[in-house]
Amino acid sequence: MGDMANSSIEFHPKPQPQREAPHAGGFGCTLAELRALMELRGAEALQKIQEAYGDVSGLCRRLKTSPTEGLADNPSDLEKRRQIYGQNFIPPKQPKTFLQLVWEALQDVTLIILEVAAIVSLGLSFYAPPGEESEACGNVSGGAEDEGEAEAGWIEGAAILLSVICVVLVTAFNDWSKEKQFRGLQSRIEQEQKFTVIRNGQLLQVPVAALVVGDIAQVKYGDLLPADGVLIQGNDLKIDESSLTGESDHVRKSADKDPMLLSGTHVMEGSGRMVVTAVGVNSQTGIIFTLLGAGGEEEEKKDKKAKKQDGAVAMEMQPLKSAEGGELEERERKKASAPRKEKSVLQGKLTKLAVQIGKAGLVMSAITVIILVLYFVIETFVVDGRVWLAECTPVYVQYFVKFFIIGVTVLVVAVPEGLPLAVTISLAYSVKKMMKDNNLVRHLDACETMGNATAICSDKTGTLTTNRMTVVQAYLGDTHYREVPSPSAVTSKILDLLVHAISINSAYTTKILPPEKEGALPRQVGNKTECALLGFVLDLQRDFQPVREQIPEDKLYKVYTFNSVRKSMSTVIRMPDGTFRLFSKGASEIMLRKCTHILNNNGELRLFRPRDREDMGRKVIEPMACDGLRTICVAYRDFPAGQEPDWDNENEVVGDLTCIAVVGIEDPVRPEVPEAIRKCQRAGITVRMVTGDNINTARAIAAKCGIIQPGEDFLCLEGKEFNRRIRNEKGEIEQERLDKVWPKLRVLARSSPTDKHTLVKGIIDSTTGEQRQVVAVTGDGTNDGPALKKADVGFAMGIAGTDVAKEASDIILTDDNFTSIVKAVMWGRNVYDSISKFLQFQLTVNVVAVIVAFTGACITQDSPLKAVQMLWVNLIMDTFASLALATEPPTESLLLRKPYGRDKPLISRTMMKNIVGHAAYQLTIIFTLLFVGELFFDIDSGRNAPLHSPPSEHYTIIFNTFVMMQLFNEINARKIHGERNVFDGIFSNPIFCSIVLGTFAIQIVIVQFGGKPFSCSPLSTEQWLWCLFVGVGELVWGQVIATIPTSQLKCLKEAGHGPGKDEMADEELAEGEEEIDHAERELRRGQILWFRGLNRIQTQIRVVKAFRSSLYEGLEKPESKSSIHNFMATPEFLINDYTHNIPLIDDTDVDEHEERLRAPPPLSPNQNNNAIDSGIYLTTHVTKSATSSAFSSSPGSPLHSVETSL
């Protein structure tokens, strides 16, 4: 290692550039040295830097960079650095290949059964029994067939295999494109993330992946550090390192105590500059990844058999966005143990429905097979009195195989494997389209949850307002100016103080740049409130840049940066005469309490007593606030020469201030917001405003937006008052008290992030309404993380949001605009409706196909619809229909109804009416054709045909009519709320039109040229026209059904409720109480076709469940339309009537849904609640801090040892 060679030379206090050991590429440090350096912390690290490099600037010289100017922006130099020190990019896990996906699709149980049956059937068809035409076997192989036809026995088996291959390829292709889309989305999120670096003395925003070792990076409040580095200069910097260490306390960083900054950690306060020393796989997060990657692979080899890995993307290995270190170790471990996912509302309902349908199908198919076999056996051996001869065995076996295939076909048709496909397609399609509406969806199911949203808690600044702030009123030198004063009206002493106070006491990264286009507004860069103040300086015809050049950032003596607790920012500078001056700015009511003097119109100090403060509040601050302005107070303080104050005692230092000015800052409401809020209110969504502003400002803006309307009964509270109302004497939050407040609350002002989290949690946990509330929250600050995580859907701001907020969110608003949230609601409702449309169509086909196959088999010993035909029908109705119906574009009318809520069944009474009605029509037609069709069309009957007989026209007509009816019913299925016009907007969906026409074309080909494999014989034009006529009848019949009022049909049940509370609890406990984050859920391979779930659940059915389901049966006969809700609201079934075993401290956020789904297990004494706040989701039952226990994964696994060593 080079450092030993250097240490002797480099031990002088000032490093000398001479005699350096030769190093890689002419840089003074090797990769290994830097890696070793970054492993050290605190004092050790400082000592090492002093020994090896003298100080940080020595390190910068070795890396050929300047602490103030940064790197020269020279492409060849940057490229060289990438070659030597690596790129800031962690290679993602390899996506699954197409073949792996095919293999996964083949795992489906029904398909395996079919394959086996087909292979058996193939084998038997090649076997010619020796006693060929012997009469002994009866008329089994006889019949109308000639030699040529007997040869064609293999076709059916082959055709089944072929259709299985089709289904598999389609499924695999869908999974593959879904994964590709996901990766595209992920990489888009990656590219969106920029970081500020200094190159050539200029501040630049570069993509995180473009950072190189030696870059000088600006770090500020809210950043997620993208690389390791050493701090050069910092102001009040505090870092949350819990993602690496598990310690939740914020760590103070300073150049002289602990300068090591690590990737994947969050800046919680302050700002500073660092020199980048390790990137990508060599950074601390990267090292952990490489270990995990290796661990994961060994693990995989070990239990390939046991484990099905899904969701390649869930483990995207980019620390840059997809997760912080801790979360990723987490995810890797979750994948290893792959426990149950926490389902979204829709998926809960769907799984339940699919399982019920699957069970019914299984029963039907079993009965079909048993009846067929018995019938055959009794007829052959009892009625005809034959004896089982050895040479006849293959013939009989062939019959049994045929029966078995028929049974399996019934099952195939009964199981709606198109459901997961429909969900996936619908969500993927929506996500893609939502990008155009400025919604970047990070978690797929957020899209669908948004459709159920009943409450939105929105920030004010930037979401409801334009976030382009300007000073419009000011109070200076005892005068209240209603517009910006002219410089001549203000005493020069006050003006000077004001210009200095604003220019120095604001982040130096905030500035106002000239407009990009002629006539446009000047560009505001950085914190918008500070931009308004700097703009005020420019309006007073002064400039802030010279002041900043005179006192550069590293000359600032002490900075107290802005945070949500202080609500102010202060900077101390050393004056030329050695005294200190402090400048401070912040929320006016907080700052004025600390002021003891104020400048009069001559710029002299006069006393500022509490009485003056009340006057000022009444005459200046309230009028400003009622105009919807934010009021900011600017003040200063001079410290006497002599002793230096104790800078750590902040309350002492920032006190006894002199007020220079109070300014009113306007942030106009976005013009499109009032209309968007009206839409929300029409759609049954309550909008609440949660802001840090003064209550009068907040109320004025809420009125402008239409959040509060005159004459309504609403509450506007300040954070303090809110807390007073919801806490009992001991200071604990009580849900009953909260329930009295939140329904009327519309504006929460001067609120802290904790208040926001309390409010969201309170609304979600509330059991007052008949429905559990579904809450969406917007946030942009670091401190909004807990509230965003707690909410059902968290929206982060794409422009103003910090990395921490984006990390905690489900959807990122790329334009920070409230109207985009309304678009998200529309898309969410559309997803829900698309799936209901698909279900309505799918279930009609299922019911008809199963009944036809079943009765046909029992009466005629042969299903009128052959296995291959069934598979084709299955393909149209599953795959194609899911594509056609899941891609319907949303319409404004979706916003005219109330949210469905969690308990609303997937299949409403109207849909049930449609399903039953259409099924009745189709069954009537098909049975008429089956039993008297040959007379009507004057053709040979196809019933009771012997084995391997050629396809009959009779059965072909039945098959064709069946498909025609499905096609026209697909058009009916476009409307689920009983609308009359089913063609409404049909041409706005080209996918739908092309699929319907395409299916029709293929059907013609199959019938006319399908021949033996499809068991079809060509039809005449007349027969075709009849089939079409019956098909079009579906549309007419649809109108008839629409005429019957749903309210008259009391007998219809709804189906597909959300799982009841007790069931959830049962399943959860059975599954080992594992809790999983959302991002992985949608990545389950095609939701691992329902069947696997079916098998698992069948093994879990307990007596309790059986008992409960009978209870459901009894309760589910709705007497009136609303009865289903009444039933769901009875105490035993309330989904959110959960008791807590432990009083939860107000800001702990016990993982996501844990409280919602069950009372948490008793916590161990060393529970570290904050670990959750900081964004680590540990999967153990109890979140211990990582230092106190090795992460739980199976002991003895390589992963386990890796983690222990970490």
Side-chain angles (χ1 to χ4, degrees), residues 310-481:
D310 342 78
V313 198
M315 211 7 253
E316 273 272 55
M317 296 241 284
Q318 268 95 334
L320 312 178
K321 192 72 191 173
S322 63
E324 306 98 89
E327 186 183 340
L328 267 151
E329 299 167 12
E330 214 28 48
R331 288 212 199 152
E332 190 57 62
R333 182 156 56 269
K334 286 175 199 154
K335 286 191 69 180
S337 54
R340 175 172 174 278
K341 309 285 176 258
E342 213 285 84
K343 291 199 185 67
S344 71
V345 186
L346 184 67
Q347 279 177 319
K349 292 179 182 177
L350 280 177
T351 311
K352 202 170 159 201
L353 195 69
V355 168
Q356 289 166 344
I357 298 173
K359 282 186 207 157
L362 207 61
V363 172
M364 291 292 273
S365 62
I367 297 177
T368 313
V369 174
I370 292 168
I371 291 180
L372 284 171
V373 171
L374 283 178
Y375 193 102
F376 173 77
V377 169
I378 291 171
E379 192 185 40
T380 311
F381 300 122
V382 180
V383 181
D384 296 357
R386 297 183 187 282
V387 193
W388 184 300
L389 297 171
E391 61 266 25
C392 292
T393 306
V395 180
Y396 296 144
V397 172
Q398 235 168 331
Y399 261 104
F400 291 141
V401 169
K402 177 180 154 188
F403 298 151
F404 181 60
I405 289 180
I406 291 173
V408 173
T409 323
V410 174
L411 182 62
V412 172
V413 177
V415 175
E417 63 273 45
L419 263 181
L421 194 65
V423 181
T424 310
I425 290 174
S426 182
L427 285 174
Y429 173 76
S430 304
V431 166
K432 212 168 172 179
K433 288 277 189 255
M434 280 168 82
M435 294 283 254
K436 294 199 178 83
D437 288 336
N438 303 309
N439 281 298
L440 181 66
V441 181
R442 291 183 69 234
H443 297 148
L444 260 186
D445 64 329
C447 167
E448 156 253 319
T449 313
M450 217 29 231
N452 286 322
T454 54
I456 297 175
C457 296
S458 171
D459 277 355
K460 175 181 76 75
T461 311
T463 313
L464 300 173
T465 58
T466 53
N467 204 8
R468 183 175 178 90
M469 304 206 189
T470 41
V471 171
V472 290
Q473 295 187 20
Y475 180 86
L476 282 165
D478 289 344
T479 322
H480 184 178
Y481 296 94

Side-chain angles (χ1 to χ4, degrees), residues 582 594-596 637 639 650-658:
L582 167 118
K594 299 180 181 172
C595 290
T596 51
R637 173 184 183 178
F639 292 98
E650 192 185 327
N651 291 343
E652 283 291 302
V653 175
V654 187
D656 196 12
L657 303 173
T658 302

